[in-house]
Amino acid sequence: MFRYAKVILVSVGAIVALGSNAQAQVIYGHENTNLTRANQAMLAGELEVASRYFGKAIKANLGHEKLVPALNNYCAVEYALGNFENAEKVCSEAISEDRRYWRAYVNRGNARAAIGKVEQAKADYERAVKIKPGSKIANNALASIQGSKGILLAKAN
């Protein structure tokens, strides 16, 4: 209840400020505590805790800028926990939010490779390389599924 009152108060303040001749107004929102806890747990290696908090965080209104990386991290955590089908699903959601987010293609490719969808994994890796040609991660993932050693583009010429 208090949170909604704060949002209304900030909104009214913004409307009043826009109506006045104020030169600059900065409005700060609150950080999503579930997302903060999820990232902290992930970095601490507490993957089950991270998974739980990521699940809660993505249900909130994070906004596009935070939602896509949160979905990608959630996918990576699910993959690390061995929940490959859910990892694939979450990464697909990240990709549907941003088709240029190459990291989600790599992570979805990892999940797909783990469940035996090798051709789909290869297509994901190829897409990641097309979006971010200089990525060592994407290039190495593609090379590994092709059965060859990766060539680091930074060294090629």
Side-chain angles (χ1 to χ4, degrees):
M1 179 78 173
F2 180 70
R3 189 165 95 184
Y4 294 113
K6 285 191 333 189
V7 169
I8 291 170
L9 184 60
V10 169
S11 298
V12 170
I15 291 169
V16 170
L18 290 173
S20 70
N21 288 330
Q23 287 194 358
Q25 292 292 322
V26 178
I27 300 173
Y28 294 100
H30 63 86
E31 183 69 25
N32 183 295
T33 55
N34 287 319
L35 183 58
T36 301
R37 289 176 181 160
N39 285 321
Q40 289 170 344
M42 182 179 67
L43 293 173
E46 300 169 356
L47 300 181
E48 290 184 14
V49 173
S51 177
R52 187 172 65 248
Y53 280 119
F54 276 125
K56 290 178 182 180
I58 64 170
K59 291 177 185 171
N61 186 11
L62 293 177
H64 179 77
E65 193 172 295
K66 291 184 181 179
L67 177 61
V68 175
L71 286 166
N72 183 63
N73 287 349
Y74 186 24
C75 169
V77 166
E78 288 295 290
Y79 173 79
L81 288 170
N83 301 329
F84 305 127
E85 289 84 8
N86 195 46
E88 179 186 23
K89 178 182 157 242
V90 173
C91 271
S92 293
E93 192 175 337
I95 291 166
S96 72
E97 289 289 327
D98 186 349
R99 299 220 176 266
R100 305 265 325 140
Y101 199 78
W102 65 271
R103 289 172 180 89
Y105 285 100
V106 172
N107 286 333
R108 187 174 72 175
N110 293 339
R112 285 179 165 175
I115 56 180
K117 297 180 178 179
V118 178
E119 288 304 313
Q120 289 177 320
K122 182 180 175 194
D124 280 344
Y125 296 148
E126 288 171 344
R127 179 73 176 144
V129 168
K130 184 176 181 182
I131 294 168
K132 185 80 171 179
S135 167
K136 294 177 187 178
I137 295 168
N139 279 290
N140 286 339
L142 179 59
S144 71
I145 206 156
Q146 291 174 334
S148 63
K149 290 191 172 190
I151 298 172
L152 301 180
L153 294 181
K155 294 182 180 179
N157 274 343

